[in-house]
Amino acid sequence: MSATARKRLVELQKNLYDQALSDAQLYLQNSSPSLKRYANEYQNNLPKSAKKTNRDHIINTMHKHRYVLYGDFHTLRQNQNGLLKLLKAYHKKFPNRPITIAMESFKHIDQEKINLYLKSMITDTDFLEQVQWKEEWGYSWESYRPILEFAKKHYFKVVGINTPRGGKDELDKRDHYASEVLLDIGSKYANDLVVCMIGELHLADKHLTGILRKRCEDLQIDNKVVRIVNNVDQYFFGKYAKHNLQRVNYLALKENFFSIQNAPPWIKWQTYIISEELKSIDDEYDDPQDDEFDLYTEDTYDFDSHFLSLLNHIKKFLRLQIHHDILTKFCLVTFPDQETIDDLSGSWDIERSEVARISKRIAIDGFHFVPKANLGIINNISMNNLAYITGQFLHNVLNKKIEAVSETDQFFKRVLAHAAGMIATKILNPRRKGTDIWYFRRFLGSNKKQNLQGHAQNLWMSAKAVIKIHEDLQRKYENNNKLTLPKSIVTEDNKLAYDISRSYGQLLGHTLYSRVMGQSAPADTMRLLFTFQENTSFQSQFSMIYRATNP
């Protein structure tokens, strides 16, 4: 990528961060004086500089000690997923050491209910009701659930460490309470690695970290506590910016103190803003007599403004010529019911077979973009999904006059639309996981002898088709032949609810982004996805992009 383009990307990232942090401050300024003091103590405790390290070093350090404190940013799913990946990697390397996972999200008095859930003696629904998850914790269960599933699978213990009053208690009281629970775990299960997932602010020297160390000293046991924070703002910019194209960055802050950077800070703060706005709406409309009230409707939260902001950021970065009025001609539907999806055939004159495919894609991906209506349907709200639809919308409105005249051309239109979605997501979130050709080859290899059913079988068939497309096109490209596809691929894509064109489009977008960033393709190559010549076809445009990506 040219120096100018790289500079523009850094400027875009800084603008996204400044805007998100400014919006977040509107909520943070209403915090209590004690919480502000507590947060400042955490912030001041972070080292000014850091050194690059790797996950293996962090895992080896964890293994030398008894307690690991893992800082949780409750609204950011990448944070909880980061812990899960760390636990899996640790268990793979040290399979004989048991792990106890201590979680702030559960009260210690609910331990019996946690144990029943881990034994699969109660359902998710019953468990969440019994521990009053929504009322007492309130964050996404789907973000934390995989951690408990991991514990279930390996017969590891999960222990609640929060006070009986939970968030109603002062933070200092919760620190002392958690410390005593952790000491009790360490006493009962002396060989276990105890990994405590708790809000990141608790990890300052004066907070849980220091209290636990002091109690360990009193009991004359190892008082070295490993701390792991996540996605610290100050370690993203400046001299650390050169690492931002990596999906995960591991930093050593000082002895036994690490940071895992797996999401940009503006994504982190955007999740916080959305959570707070939805929470404020919930408080405003919390009428116990109104059982019909639906928190998640378009009228209660303005996703449109967030979407329009993302559109403008991508437009500016790619230097797209598009009038502001056109940017506003989109429609977002969030948390749709089946009736809303079925109505697409009547409201937008979309064939029922196509509506069925759309419904399937929403169930699988959590979102879908309908080009004919400039309609984004989102069932799983995330910045990645919003960004993906942003790219698809821009691709669609800028190429509205181009007709897909054949099934093959429609296939390539979908491929290019998904490539545009991936490009937009990678621009806004460089650490978003991408898929290269080796991902599909590994997937096929690891599932070769499995008896796959349903969606898993479709994924396997799609991966096989993607590899075939990749190899066929590479061979034709090297022989300077026309880049065509067998009709069987298009037919199979229709049967698989467009999973092949989606997967190959994401591969193309990821490859294009990576090569531009790696300076092996011109910076303006990405614009080819959004700037078609008139009287062309999607297949010929694909050929142009493919050749530009494979110089």
Side-chain angles (χ1 to χ4, degrees), residues 75-92:
T75 61
L76 184 64
R77 182 170 295 190
Q78 289 95 322
N79 193 282
Q80 293 89 39
N81 194 42
L83 175 61
L84 179 62
K85 289 182 177 180
L86 198 64
L87 291 171
K88 287 180 176 179
Y90 180 89
H91 180 60
K92 184 176 181 179

Side-chain angles (χ1 to χ4, degrees), residues 21 24 29 40 64 87 93 124 167 184-185 226 260 302 377 404 412 414 433 495 541 547 550:
L21 185 60
Q29 67 185 10
N40 286 334
K64 294 176 183 176
L87 291 171
K93 186 165 187 178
D124 278 36
D184 184 57
I185 296 170
V226 178
I260 298 176
D302 187 13
I377 304 174
F412 281 111
R414 292 193 296 271
K433 183 178 180 181
K495 291 179 180 178
Q541 189 72 10
R547 295 182 188 282
N550 296 272

Side-chain angles (χ1 to χ4, degrees), residues 59-76:
I59 289 171
N60 289 335
T61 304
M62 291 166 57
H63 192 59
K64 294 176 183 176
H65 303 290
R66 177 177 294 184
Y67 294 110
V68 176
L69 302 182
Y70 184 92
D72 186 24
F73 196 89
H74 310 314
T75 61
L76 184 64

Side-chain angles (χ1 to χ4, degrees), residues 221-314:
I221 58 178
D222 175 21
N223 74 332
K224 289 185 178 179
V225 176
V226 178
R227 284 181 288 177
I228 302 172
V229 293
N230 292 267
N231 302 308
V232 179
D233 299 14
Q234 68 196 51
Y235 302 141
F236 192 87
F237 296 105
K239 64 181 180 180
Y240 306 102
K242 63 184 179 181
H243 302 306
N244 289 345
L245 299 183
Q246 299 171 3
R247 201 160 62 80
V248 184
N249 190 23
Y250 300 95
L251 300 174
L253 309 185
K254 57 184 181 180
E255 185 182 11
N256 298 329
F257 197 2
F258 304 96
S259 179
I260 298 176
Q261 307 283 107
N262 66 357
W266 58 87
I267 298 289
K268 176 180 78 172
W269 289 116
Q270 281 288 358
T271 65
Y272 170 78
I273 293 162
I274 291 174
S275 174
E276 288 299 305
E277 291 193 17
L278 289 175
K279 192 186 300 180
S280 66
I281 293 165
D282 197 15
D283 293 340
E284 183 178 350
Y285 290 93
D286 189 14
D287 183 355
Q289 297 180 342
D290 186 8
D291 295 333
E292 301 268 329
F293 175 72
D294 180 8
L295 170 63
Y296 303 111
T297 65
E298 291 179 278
D299 296 331
T300 59
Y301 177 72
D302 187 13
F303 286 106
D304 288 6
S305 62
H306 284 282
F307 187 71
L308 186 58
S309 174
L310 295 181
L311 283 172
N312 279 302
H313 281 302
I314 296 296

Side-chain angles (χ1 to χ4, degrees), residues 344-387:
L344 290 173
S345 59
S347 300
W348 300 102
D349 194 27
I350 297 172
E351 293 183 9
R352 292 195 176 277
S353 59
E354 183 67 12
V355 172
R357 276 191 285 263
I358 291 171
S359 180
K360 185 177 288 188
R361 287 257 58 96
I362 294 170
I364 295 169
D365 302 330
F367 69 98
H368 189 76
F369 178 71
V370 185
K372 186 174 184 178
N374 276 337
L375 172 66
I377 304 174
I378 311 177
N379 199 38
N380 179 12
I381 296 294
S382 75
M383 291 305 298
N384 282 340
N385 290 350
L386 281 170

Side-chain angles (χ1 to χ4, degrees), residues 394-402 529-532 538:
L394 288 171
H395 172 266
N396 188 55
V397 296
L398 286 168
N399 303 297
K400 201 74 174 178
K401 296 180 180 179
I402 311 299
L529 280 168
F530 304 92
T531 52
F532 281 28
F538 289 101

